[in-house]
Amino acid sequence: SDYNDQIYFQFRNFPLISVHQNAFAGARAAEAASKQGKFWQMHDLLYDNQSQWSESKDPTTYFHQYAQQLGLNVSKFESDYASNQVNDSINADLAVGNKLNIQGTPTFFLDGKQIQVTASVDSFETQIKAAIAKKHVQH
Protein backbone atom coordinates (compact mmCIF):
# COMPACT_ATOMS: atom_id res chain seq x y z
CA SER A 1 0.00 0.00 0.00
CA ASP A 2 3.00 2.32 0.48
CA TYR A 3 3.56 2.24 -3.28
CA ASN A 4 -0.01 2.22 -4.63
CA ASP A 5 0.55 5.46 -6.51
CA GLN A 6 3.74 4.11 -8.13
CA ILE A 7 3.02 0.46 -8.93
CA TYR A 8 0.10 -1.70 -9.99
CA PHE A 9 -0.35 -4.87 -7.94
CA GLN A 10 -2.23 -7.75 -9.49
CA PHE A 11 -3.16 -10.94 -7.67
CA ARG A 12 -3.66 -14.18 -9.59
CA ASN A 13 -4.94 -17.45 -8.21
CA PHE A 14 -2.76 -20.52 -8.50
CA PRO A 15 -4.35 -23.14 -6.23
CA LEU A 16 -1.97 -26.05 -5.72
CA ILE A 17 -4.57 -28.80 -5.66
CA SER A 18 -1.93 -31.53 -5.78
CA VAL A 19 -0.64 -30.27 -2.42
CA HIS A 20 -3.80 -28.87 -0.80
CA GLN A 21 -7.03 -30.76 -1.54
CA ASN A 22 -9.21 -27.71 -0.89
CA ALA A 23 -7.02 -25.09 -2.53
CA PHE A 24 -9.38 -24.56 -5.46
CA ALA A 25 -12.33 -24.29 -3.07
CA GLY A 26 -10.44 -21.64 -1.09
CA ALA A 27 -9.77 -19.68 -4.26
CA ARG A 28 -13.50 -19.89 -5.08
CA ALA A 29 -14.35 -18.49 -1.64
CA ALA A 30 -12.00 -15.52 -2.10
CA GLU A 31 -13.28 -14.82 -5.61
CA ALA A 32 -16.90 -15.08 -4.46
CA ALA A 33 -16.15 -12.58 -1.68
CA SER A 34 -14.54 -10.36 -4.31
CA LYS A 35 -17.93 -10.01 -5.97
CA GLN A 36 -18.96 -8.08 -2.85
CA GLY A 37 -15.72 -6.11 -2.53
CA LYS A 38 -14.19 -8.29 0.20
CA PHE A 39 -11.51 -10.29 -1.61
CA TRP A 40 -8.61 -9.35 0.65
CA GLN A 41 -10.63 -9.74 3.82
CA MET A 42 -11.66 -13.27 2.78
CA HIS A 43 -8.13 -14.00 1.55
CA ASP A 44 -6.75 -13.06 4.96
CA LEU A 45 -9.35 -15.12 6.84
CA LEU A 46 -8.60 -18.12 4.64
CA TYR A 47 -4.88 -17.77 5.17
CA ASP A 48 -5.16 -17.21 8.92
CA ASN A 49 -7.51 -20.18 9.36
CA GLN A 50 -6.00 -22.53 6.79
CA SER A 51 -5.56 -25.31 9.36
CA GLN A 52 -9.36 -25.34 9.90
CA TRP A 53 -10.59 -25.73 6.35
CA SER A 54 -7.69 -27.02 4.24
CA GLU A 55 -8.15 -30.69 5.17
CA SER A 56 -11.91 -30.57 5.78
CA LYS A 57 -14.20 -32.92 3.87
CA ASP A 58 -16.58 -29.96 3.47
CA PRO A 59 -14.76 -26.62 3.65
CA THR A 60 -17.87 -24.72 2.54
CA THR A 61 -19.13 -24.81 6.14
CA TYR A 62 -16.13 -22.70 7.12
CA PHE A 63 -16.45 -20.45 4.08
CA HIS A 64 -20.09 -19.78 5.00
CA GLN A 65 -18.97 -18.76 8.52
CA TYR A 66 -16.26 -16.49 7.12
CA ALA A 67 -18.78 -14.86 4.77
CA GLN A 68 -21.06 -14.16 7.72
CA GLN A 69 -18.13 -12.85 9.75
CA LEU A 70 -17.29 -10.43 6.93
CA GLY A 71 -20.88 -9.21 6.70
CA LEU A 72 -21.39 -10.54 3.19
CA ASN A 73 -24.77 -11.31 1.70
CA VAL A 74 -24.37 -15.04 2.31
CA SER A 75 -26.86 -16.25 -0.30
CA LYS A 76 -25.10 -14.12 -2.96
CA PHE A 77 -21.75 -15.43 -1.72
CA GLU A 78 -22.97 -19.03 -2.06
CA SER A 79 -24.37 -18.35 -5.53
CA ASP A 80 -21.14 -16.67 -6.66
CA TYR A 81 -19.07 -19.47 -5.09
CA ALA A 82 -20.92 -22.00 -7.25
CA SER A 83 -20.89 -19.86 -10.40
CA ASN A 84 -19.17 -20.63 -13.68
CA GLN A 85 -17.82 -17.08 -13.69
CA VAL A 86 -15.80 -17.63 -10.50
CA ASN A 87 -14.68 -21.06 -11.71
CA ASP A 88 -13.65 -19.72 -15.12
CA SER A 89 -11.73 -16.83 -13.55
CA ILE A 90 -9.65 -19.20 -11.43
CA ASN A 91 -9.06 -21.55 -14.37
CA ALA A 92 -7.90 -18.58 -16.47
CA ASP A 93 -5.42 -17.64 -13.73
CA LEU A 94 -4.22 -21.26 -13.59
CA ALA A 95 -3.72 -21.30 -17.36
CA VAL A 96 -1.56 -18.16 -17.20
CA GLY A 97 0.41 -19.60 -14.29
CA ASN A 98 1.01 -22.84 -16.16
CA LYS A 99 2.09 -20.90 -19.27
CA LEU A 100 4.57 -18.99 -17.08
CA ASN A 101 5.75 -22.30 -15.58
CA ILE A 102 4.85 -21.31 -12.03
CA GLN A 103 6.02 -24.01 -9.64
CA GLY A 104 4.71 -22.76 -6.30
CA THR A 105 3.14 -19.99 -4.35
CA PRO A 106 3.67 -17.26 -3.74
CA THR A 107 5.45 -16.33 -6.95
CA PHE A 108 6.09 -12.69 -7.78
CA PHE A 109 6.71 -10.90 -11.05
CA LEU A 110 7.97 -7.35 -11.29
CA ASP A 111 7.81 -5.66 -14.70
CA GLY A 112 7.14 -9.03 -16.31
CA LYS A 113 10.15 -10.79 -14.80
CA GLN A 114 9.95 -13.37 -12.06
CA ILE A 115 11.75 -12.22 -8.94
CA GLN A 116 12.97 -14.12 -5.92
CA VAL A 117 11.76 -12.75 -2.61
CA THR A 118 12.83 -13.98 0.78
CA ALA A 119 10.48 -14.13 3.74
CA SER A 120 11.64 -10.62 4.58
CA VAL A 121 9.43 -7.70 3.60
CA ASP A 122 12.63 -5.65 3.31
CA SER A 123 13.91 -7.76 0.40
CA PHE A 124 10.64 -7.30 -1.47
CA GLU A 125 10.61 -3.57 -0.75
CA THR A 126 14.20 -3.22 -1.94
CA GLN A 127 13.29 -4.73 -5.30
CA ILE A 128 10.18 -2.56 -5.65
CA LYS A 129 12.16 0.60 -4.84
CA ALA A 130 14.86 -0.36 -7.34
CA ALA A 131 12.27 -0.91 -10.09
CA ILE A 132 10.61 2.44 -9.33
CA ALA A 133 13.97 4.23 -9.35
CA LYS A 134 14.88 2.59 -12.64
CA LYS A 135 11.62 3.79 -14.20
CA HIS A 136 12.28 7.36 -13.03
CA VAL A 137 15.76 7.30 -14.57
CA GLN A 138 14.36 6.05 -17.89
CA HIS A 139 11.78 8.83 -18.10
Side-chain angles (χ1 to χ4, degrees):
S1 64
D2 292 347
Y3 303 99
N4 278 347
D5 61 337
Q6 299 173 71
I7 65 170
Y8 173 73
F9 178 81
Q10 183 179 47
F11 177 91
R12 300 257 182 145
N13 291 289
F14 197 74
L16 299 171
I17 53 178
S18 63
V19 178
H20 304 288
Q21 69 182 13
N22 292 327
F24 201 95
R28 289 180 78 98
E31 289 299 325
S34 173
K35 299 285 187 189
Q36 296 182 56
K38 299 272 184 153
F39 174 86
W40 287 111
Q41 293 89 333
M42 179 63 82
H43 172 278
D44 293 349
L45 271 177
L46 291 167
Y47 186 80
D48 291 345
N49 297 293
Q50 191 170 354
S51 62
Q52 282 183 324
W53 61 269
S54 64
E55 300 296 324
S56 172
K57 290 189 188 314
D58 183 13
T60 57
T61 304
Y62 295 105
F63 302 157
H64 181 94
Q65 291 170 1
Y66 303 155
Q68 284 180 320
Q69 185 178 336
L70 294 173
L72 299 178
N73 174 326
V74 177
S75 61
K76 178 171 175 19
F77 170 81
E78 290 171 348
S79 173
D80 289 336
Y81 178 89
S83 73
N84 286 335
Q85 185 181 24
V86 162
N87 191 62
D88 292 347
S89 173
I90 297 164
N91 280 325
D93 285 352
L94 275 168
V96 170
N98 287 329
K99 186 176 180 181
L100 293 170
N101 198 30
I102 302 298
Q103 299 297 309
T105 60
T107 298
F108 295 97
F109 285 79
L110 188 59
D111 281 340
K113 296 183 183 103
Q114 187 171 344
I115 60 171
Q116 298 303 315
V117 180
T118 67
S120 161
V121 173
D122 291 338
S123 77
F124 200 16
E125 189 172 31
T126 298
Q127 293 188 57
I128 290 171
K129 285 180 178 178
I132 291 169
K134 184 177 176 184
K135 293 269 188 210
H136 286 299
V137 170
Q138 291 174 350
H139 290 140

